[in-house]
Amino acid sequence: YLFNLAFNNNQPVLSNPVNITNRKGYDNQPFFHPHKPVIYYSSFNDSGRSDIQYYHIKKARTAHLTFTNEREYSPTLTPDGKFISCIIQRDDGSQDLGKYPLKGGEPRILINTLKVGYHLWVDDHSLLLFVLGDSNKNTLHLYNLLTKEDNIIADNPGRSLHRIPGTNTISFVHKISKEEWLIKRYNRETKQISTIAPTLPGREDIAWLTKEILLSSDGSRLFYFDINSNVGWQLVPIENSNLPIKGISRLAVNSKNTKLAVVVSE
């Protein structure tokens, strides 16, 4: 669903949800182009394989970026704006990080020595990686494509990786235990990790609106957290909608803070 997003006295307000993938099947992992009215996402085709599709908001049209025999997940625009990087899952179980040209063409493999689950571009040659390990021993890595330097930052990360707007820091969810999940900040310059806030219970998907305000969901409702306030998680009002939404997971916000994409389970 695509919501209109606005602010009322620094409080986010949502309205007018529209189902932009109105079909049966898996549509997930939305990513807004930072400069164009386009959302990229992963979508299962009729044969059960996922391709990268994109939705043009102004034209209300959907098209394929990839249509392959592999499975592509987690589309992300590369820093140069020329490619969509994504996870490429193969039938033999391997999972590479690659990139497809926006204008079409064959992928270029970026990383095939790690089983990457999720990724975030930190700069034009560095990535934050959620790496799948044996026996669910997942780790968070900072990886340099030029030098191949690979540093582990934390164990047991969540899948939600973000650059914090207006800063040079990045955020991730650290699963300390089954009961304690924390949103943390990593400073690349100092290599220090600090805690921002606890997640909503058992929820790992977040999105940043500003450097002070972030969003999350308990599955059926949306909440915001102001890091400068002691109030904690607060309910986000939704106007002009009687839509019963359930199974909320992934969230994505456009660069202008006017649109919110929400993945739900139907």
Side-chain angles (χ1 to χ4, degrees):
Y1 282 88
L2 185 64
F3 287 81
N4 290 337
L5 171 64
F7 289 85
N8 183 6
N9 293 325
N10 212 36
Q11 177 193 55
V13 179
L14 301 175
S15 61
N16 302 320
V18 176
N19 187 343
I20 63 172
T21 61
N22 194 10
R23 68 178 195 97
K24 292 182 179 181
Y26 175 102
D27 300 296
N28 209 336
Q29 300 154 357
F31 180 89
F32 283 93
H33 192 290
H35 311 300
K36 299 178 181 179
V38 171
I39 303 174
Y40 299 92
Y41 61 96
S42 178
S43 178
F44 274 30
N45 58 32
D46 292 338
S47 64
R49 294 178 180 272
S50 57
D51 295 302
I52 303 302
Q53 297 199 53
Y54 60 95
Y55 177 82
H56 196 287
I57 297 171
K58 291 184 177 179
K59 297 178 180 178
R61 293 179 182 175
T62 302
H64 277 271
L65 178 71
T66 69
F67 195 79
T68 71
N69 291 324
E70 313 291 354
R71 298 174 180 88
E72 290 92 20
Y73 297 95
S74 300
T76 305
L77 188 72
T78 56
D80 61 10
K82 297 179 181 180
F83 299 85
I84 286 292
S85 58
C86 62
I87 308 304
I88 302 175
Q89 188 182 73
R90 309 186 189 282
D91 287 341
D92 62 4
S94 62
Q95 216 160 275
D96 300 338
L97 181 66
K99 62 180 184 179
Y100 285 87
L102 285 181
K103 296 181 179 180
E106 294 299 312
R108 303 181 190 180
I109 301 304
L110 299 173
I111 300 174
N112 59 8
T113 55
L114 299 169
K115 194 170 186 179
V116 179
Y118 308 96
H119 71 292
L120 170 74
W121 287 94
V122 178
D123 55 36
D124 59 2
H125 60 271
S126 299
L127 292 136
L128 193 66
L129 305 175
F130 175 112
V131 176
L132 297 158
D134 297 331
S135 303
N136 293 322
K137 292 182 179 179
N138 303 325
T139 48
L140 188 68
H141 297 230
L142 188 63
Y143 189 92
N144 188 308
L145 290 172
L146 298 179
T147 65
K148 310 303 180 185
E149 183 180 359
D150 179 19
N151 293 312
I152 296 178
I153 296 173
D155 295 324
N156 301 318
R159 65 192 177 196
S160 196
L161 310 175
H162 298 278
R163 298 179 67 173
I164 301 177
T167 76
N168 292 322
T169 60
I170 49 187
S171 74
F172 66 97
V173 171
H174 194 183
K175 299 180 179 180
I176 306 297
S177 66
K178 289 183 179 180
E179 295 77 24
E180 186 180 16
W181 293 5
L182 301 175
I183 301 168
K184 293 193 173 183
R185 180 196 308 267
Y186 176 71
N187 188 315
R188 287 187 62 202
E189 294 180 0
T190 64
K191 296 183 170 51
Q192 290 184 333
I193 295 175
S194 57
T195 298
I196 297 172
T199 68
L200 289 166
R203 312 301 299 190
E204 63 182 305
D205 294 305
I206 67 168
W208 288 91
L209 299 182
T210 69
K211 62 182 179 181
E212 291 94 11
I213 299 175
L214 52 94
L215 290 180
S216 190
S217 171
D218 67 353
S220 59
R221 298 169 297 174
L222 288 155
F223 294 82
Y224 75 98
F225 189 99
D226 186 338
I227 65 175
N228 293 325
S229 169
N230 295 321
V231 177
W233 290 99
Q234 301 177 74
L235 187 66
V236 177
I238 301 178
E239 300 177 345
N240 306 322
S241 174
N242 295 316
L243 186 69
I245 295 178
K246 60 181 180 180
I248 297 173
S249 55
R250 312 299 179 87
L251 307 171
V253 181
N254 70 343
S255 60
K256 295 181 179 179
N257 275 345
T258 57
K259 297 288 184 181
L260 172 70
V262 177
V263 177
V264 306
S265 176
E266 293 183 323

